[in-house]
Amino acid sequence: MHQFISSVLSFFLSPVYWIILLIIAGFLFRRPALKKYCRILALFIFLLFSNRWVLNWYANKFQPAPLVLSAGSVYSCGIVPGGFASPDVDGNGVFNPSADRFIQALKLFKQGHITHILVTGGNGKKEMKAFNEAAWVKNELIIMGVPDSVIFIEDKSRNTAENAVNTKKILDTIHLQPPYLLISSALHLPRASLLFKKAGVPVIPFPCNYIAGRGISTIADIIPGIDALFTWELFLKETIGYWWYRQR
């Protein structure tokens, strides 16, 4: 059900699909006024959502700013939501573009800013049930020199809401002192932080993997970019999810 809802949201919250539907409607409508309206609206949506400057402006407002830790800042645990690793065709684990949260968690541990790492995330996709992401990530951390004794995993959750609830159960049993660093993609953190706090987990957002909003703006950003259209789908989905859970 979760995957179905996610697929539906991806369709309705994608400017690309809006443009395609409007173009099709422009051909199907018989009234010239409606045809014109659909084509103008499709052009407007394309120009707005393909504008990288608009995307970067919104991303900068929506995402938390980078967290700079002082030399003496130490937290008992860094919580790392899954979704940054998956199996290849042979069933072997591989990192995906969201793997910066793994890198940052490892870096924070090596720098002494966190003393434990908790990886939370099972597999929400049926075709990936045989792959245990949390266990695979734990092994990768051990390979990188992190002691087994300071790594905890939660591999039952299928989404961020379940990440938060199941993480709370683990933290209640291991008795690590809050607050905890929540290490995740900047785009994901507004909703993730909200859900963890609602679940009773005191977290401080540690954003990474910025996909928009942190670069230097140039005049070229106003030139339409197809990549911006697809990036907006991610921001719209996270924005709707954030406000949905905030009202609950």
Side-chain angles (χ1 to χ4, degrees), residues 96-223:
N96 65 36
S98 297
D100 189 33
R101 66 186 74 171
F102 172 90
I103 297 171
Q104 295 304 319
L106 179 61
K107 181 179 177 181
L108 288 168
F109 177 80
K110 294 290 187 179
Q111 292 176 330
H113 288 302
I114 57 176
T115 58
H116 298 78
I117 298 175
L118 194 161
V119 181
T120 171
N123 293 319
K125 298 180 180 180
K126 292 181 179 180
E127 66 273 17
M128 291 170 49
K129 285 299 181 183
F131 176 70
N132 189 315
E133 180 181 7
W136 183 81
V137 171
K138 178 179 180 178
N139 187 62
E140 293 297 303
L141 287 170
I142 293 173
I143 291 173
M144 298 303 292
V146 181
D148 175 273
S149 59
V150 302
I151 306 172
F152 301 94
I153 64 172
E154 181 284 303
D155 59 2
K156 304 301 180 186
S157 56
R158 299 165 296 175
N159 52 57
T160 306
E162 292 182 4
N163 286 158
V165 173
N166 292 338
T167 295
K168 176 67 163 59
K169 295 177 181 177
I170 293 178
L171 290 172
D172 285 345
T173 63
I174 59 180
H175 306 295
L176 295 178
Q177 186 68 29
Y180 316 104
L181 286 186
L182 181 58
I183 308 163
S184 190
S185 303
L187 170 63
H188 179 235
L189 270 178
R191 179 170 61 94
S193 298
L194 176 67
L195 288 169
F196 273 80
K197 291 175 182 178
K198 279 181 173 287
V201 183
V203 295
I204 296 175
F206 189 92
C208 57
N209 190 41
Y210 288 88
I211 59 174
R214 298 302 302 174
I216 299 174
S217 296
T218 66
I219 191 66
D221 288 334
I222 65 174
I223 300 174

Side-chain angles (χ1 to χ4, degrees), residues 58 90 221:
Y58 182 79
D90 298 317
D221 288 334

Side-chain angles (χ1 to χ4, degrees), residues 57-69:
W57 174 84
Y58 182 79
N60 190 48
K61 297 293 183 181
F62 181 72
Q63 300 172 144
L67 178 63
V68 180
L69 300 177

Side-chain angles (χ1 to χ4, degrees), residues 13-16 49 52 55-56 58-59 63 187 210-213 225-238:
L13 297 180
S14 172
V16 175
F49 288 100
R52 295 185 185 90
L55 172 64
N56 287 327
Y58 182 79
Q63 300 172 144
L187 170 63
Y210 288 88
I211 59 174
I226 300 299
D227 58 315
L229 283 172
F230 290 99
T231 304
W232 263 112
E233 179 181 329
L234 302 175
F235 275 93
L236 290 173
K237 183 178 179 181
E238 285 295 332

